[in-house]
Amino acid sequence: MDSFGLLSITKFRFYSEAMRPMLDTIEPWESLNMDLNRAKQWAPSNRGVWMAGRVTLAGHLLQAKGDRVAMHSSVEVRYPFLDEEVFDFTSKLHPKWKLNGFRDKHILRLLAERWVPPSIYKRGKVIFRAPLDSFHLDPSPEFINELLSEESLNRSGYFDATAVHQWRKAYQDLREGSMPRLSVEMGLAAVVATQLWHHLYIDSSLCSLSDWTSIVPPAEKGLPAVTTH
């Protein structure tokens, strides 16, 4: 939830004046129709698992980071921890078996002790993602500079071009790994993603890309070409 909060506050940093009034009229959480009264009966850790599942599991973890990546390489993936019997079993476990103090995945680590060395089952959790600042390295990919140009930002209308340019330079002076830098990096990544979405589906004049294959040419990455049915 802390990471969601860091991303959420960036709307005050980057939104254009035309977008700001919408912040008072739209509450994205309401669209999830979550039964909060029911959740009050659960342990805090179970509430967190439930909320994270509703927010990120289907559209983000399974679709964007799972099915799309697997289908790109013609792989049909099975997710063992989403097996119905496994899910039913773990849902009945006491929270202490899931999070023991600050030791996450507690019961899984106990099981892993039987077969793998301590360097594996005691290893801390590491977030699995590409560096958030990878689009803003020097030199930046040309299509990124085009998407974040004043002309393109003004054309789409979502973001304040002055703020985007200011923070794109300023964040590099923030300490790596710090919360302020992470917040700005997440915000800039969201700006890039939104601009790219607008270019691909609404107005193709924001940059010189014609489709997704222009971003990551399969032949250059040693990947099979994408086939759409």
Side-chain angles (χ1 to χ4, degrees):
M1 293 307 299
D2 288 343
S3 63
F4 296 151
L6 283 174
L7 181 56
S8 179
I9 63 175
T10 60
K11 58 179 174 281
F12 300 106
R13 182 180 290 128
F14 292 121
Y15 271 1
S16 65
E17 288 298 324
M19 289 287 290
R20 291 178 182 271
M22 298 181 63
L23 299 177
D24 297 326
T25 62
I26 299 176
E27 178 49 70
W29 289 97
E30 293 180 354
S31 65
L32 296 175
N33 297 317
M34 303 176 77
D35 189 347
L36 300 182
N37 288 325
R38 181 187 177 199
K40 290 178 181 178
Q41 306 172 33
W42 304 340
S45 58
N46 286 340
R47 296 180 202 167
V49 171
W50 174 62
M51 186 168 290
R54 290 297 305 275
V55 172
T56 65
L57 182 60
H60 181 58
L61 297 178
L62 291 182
Q63 184 192 67
K65 292 185 176 180
D67 291 341
R68 288 183 180 178
V69 176
M71 292 174 67
H72 181 275
S73 299
S74 301
V75 175
E76 187 171 349
V77 180
R78 293 288 185 268
Y79 304 96
F81 293 109
L82 294 183
D83 177 87
E84 292 182 0
E85 294 184 6
V86 174
F87 192 92
D88 185 58
F89 169 73
T90 56
S91 68
K92 296 180 175 64
L93 291 175
H94 190 279
K96 71 177 182 180
W97 294 109
K98 304 172 185 177
L99 183 65
N100 189 290
F102 290 104
R103 190 190 197 199
D104 61 344
K105 299 180 175 66
H106 181 54
I107 194 171
L108 183 62
R109 294 179 189 275
L110 290 176
L111 181 65
E113 288 182 21
R114 302 179 183 180
W115 295 288
V116 299
S119 61
I120 301 298
Y121 71 77
K122 288 185 177 181
R123 185 169 56 190
K125 183 176 180 180
V126 178
I127 189 169
F128 179 66
R129 61 166 173 79
L132 288 171
D133 62 356
S134 57
F135 286 138
H136 306 286
L137 301 177
D138 188 20
S140 301
E142 187 56 35
F143 78 94
I144 297 295
N145 294 326
E146 293 172 352
L147 290 173
L148 300 184
S149 68
E150 182 176 1
E151 179 182 0
S152 292
L153 289 167
N154 289 337
R155 183 169 295 172
S156 63
Y158 307 118
F159 306 107
D160 183 332
T162 300
V164 171
H165 293 158
Q166 172 190 334
W167 283 105
R168 197 179 180 198
K169 294 180 179 179
Y171 93 95
Q172 300 181 46
D173 295 326
L174 300 175
R175 181 173 59 85
E176 289 189 22
S178 66
M179 287 298 180
R181 176 162 175 151
L182 178 61
S183 177
V184 175
E185 287 176 347
M186 293 174 72
L188 288 171
V191 172
V192 171
T194 304
Q195 286 289 100
L196 184 58
W197 169 82
H198 188 93
H199 170 79
L200 291 173
Y201 298 107
I202 297 179
D203 179 0
S204 60
S205 64
L206 299 190
C207 68
S208 56
L209 292 178
S210 58
D211 54 36
W212 286 106
T213 59
S214 300
I215 303 175
V216 185
E220 293 184 13
K221 298 296 182 180
L223 299 174
V226 178
T227 301
T228 303
H229 297 285

